[in-house]
Amino acid sequence: MNRILLASAFLLVSIPAAFADGIPSAVPAAVSSVPAAVSPAPKAPAPKLVEPHLHIARSNIAGHARIALTFDACMGQADERILSTLVGERIPATIFVTARWLKRNPAALAVFLQNSDLFELENHGENHIPAVDTPTLIYGIASAGSPQAVRQEVEGGAAAMVAAGIPAPHWFRGSTAKYDLSAIGEIRAMGYRIAGYSVNGDGGSLLGAVITEKRIASAKDGDVVISHINQPTHAAGEGVAKALVDLKAKGTEFVRLEDVEDMGDDKTTE
């Protein structure tokens, strides 16, 4: 019995100090080393985000709808199915490019520049970061998070465009097309109009070909369509190309944003 008591005493004495918090509360020394519970800091409220709409002046001619096709070139490669249809059918469009996409697609850029009568190139940002000036996640993408970072995203995209031989942009569309109101004010103060849309053609290039074709082909007089031209392996691109042909066959008038009056909400174009 004495041997057992001596062994127990030796065990307690030999426990390293680093594990003192793990000793049962029956041991007074252990209790005194446990820190008091700390209440978690309250979370900052999520910013109020808007996804602005944009319309263009209607033709108001029966059977002659006027629409603006806009395409985001975020990252990845050029979708030749869409690009070749635009060029082959001589369909004008406004293309929003990021600095990252420009670096990877010099051949597609050359096509855009060689067809300046068709393509208006505008600013989609430097690194495809949502133009929201408080920290948050949008579709899993971290926002710019500060006014300075929003400015860098906008100015960095514009600088890359000018360096690539593109005229200085006048429109900006941020990643995810969502903003907070303060960031909208900051971007407008930089001299940009902000491009919303009225028809989501391809659901971020994640929709199937059939539903994408139906969505875009349903565009009406005065609509601004958003789709993507940077996902050549996605089925949506096939639907986009077919819808362009469908619309042209119906006598649709295609215009670029720079060629027509526009109306955007959330003070994006005022």
Side-chain angles (χ1 to χ4, degrees):
M1 185 66 161
N2 290 337
R3 288 180 181 177
I4 294 173
L5 291 172
L6 284 171
S8 299
F10 175 77
L11 216 88
L12 283 172
V13 170
S14 62
I15 293 176
F19 296 96
D21 288 348
I23 300 174
S25 58
V27 182
V31 174
S32 64
S33 66
V34 177
V38 178
S39 299
K43 286 186 177 180
K48 178 183 177 182
L49 302 181
V50 296
E51 191 166 355
H53 293 91
L54 180 67
H55 289 84
I56 57 170
R58 299 176 181 177
S59 73
N60 290 319
I61 301 173
H64 186 78
R66 175 189 292 152
I67 71 167
L69 298 171
T70 69
F71 292 93
D72 288 357
C74 313
M75 295 168 279
Q77 301 294 328
D79 191 332
E80 291 295 336
R81 297 169 297 182
I82 300 172
L83 182 55
S84 62
T85 300
L86 291 169
V87 174
E89 298 291 337
R90 306 309 294 169
I91 295 175
T94 302
I95 315 293
F96 288 85
V97 297
T98 67
R100 295 173 67 175
W101 188 88
L102 287 173
K103 289 178 182 178
R104 297 187 61 180
N105 294 275
L109 173 60
V111 173
F112 289 145
L113 295 177
Q114 289 162 8
N115 292 274
S116 58
D117 59 323
L118 294 180
F119 300 117
E120 170 190 0
L121 300 180
E122 297 292 352
N123 188 358
H124 197 32
E126 182 176 24
N127 290 307
H128 200 247
I129 296 172
V132 174
D133 60 15
T134 55
T136 191
L137 289 176
I138 307 171
Y139 305 132
I141 305 174
S143 66
S146 71
Q148 296 78 12
V150 169
R151 176 173 288 275
Q152 178 57 44
E153 176 70 0
V154 177
E155 290 183 342
M161 293 177 69
V162 173
I166 302 170
H170 302 287
W171 286 86
F172 176 80
R173 176 183 285 155
S175 167
T176 75
K178 292 182 182 287
Y179 314 82
D180 54 353
L181 295 178
S182 53
I184 286 176
E186 292 154 13
I187 297 166
R188 293 288 290 124
M190 296 170 66
Y192 287 90
R193 302 173 81 75
I194 297 175
Y197 61 90
S198 59
V199 175
N200 186 339
D202 62 2
S205 191
L206 299 177
L207 297 177
V210 173
I211 189 170
T212 296
E213 180 182 1
K214 287 181 178 178
R215 280 195 180 192
I216 298 175
S218 70
K220 297 177 174 58
D221 197 15
D223 272 333
V224 175
V225 180
I226 182 176
S227 299
H228 292 75
I229 196 169
N230 66 299
Q231 295 290 357
T233 63
H234 290 194
E238 178 186 346
V240 172
K242 288 182 178 179
L244 300 181
V245 177
D246 295 343
L247 286 169
K248 184 177 179 181
K250 293 193 314 187
T252 301
E253 176 190 0
F254 300 99
V255 296
R256 303 173 298 185
L257 292 182
E258 66 181 351
D259 296 329
V260 67
E261 293 183 359
D262 55 76
M263 299 143 285
D265 58 13
D266 295 309
K267 299 184 178 180
T268 50
T269 62
E270 290 179 4

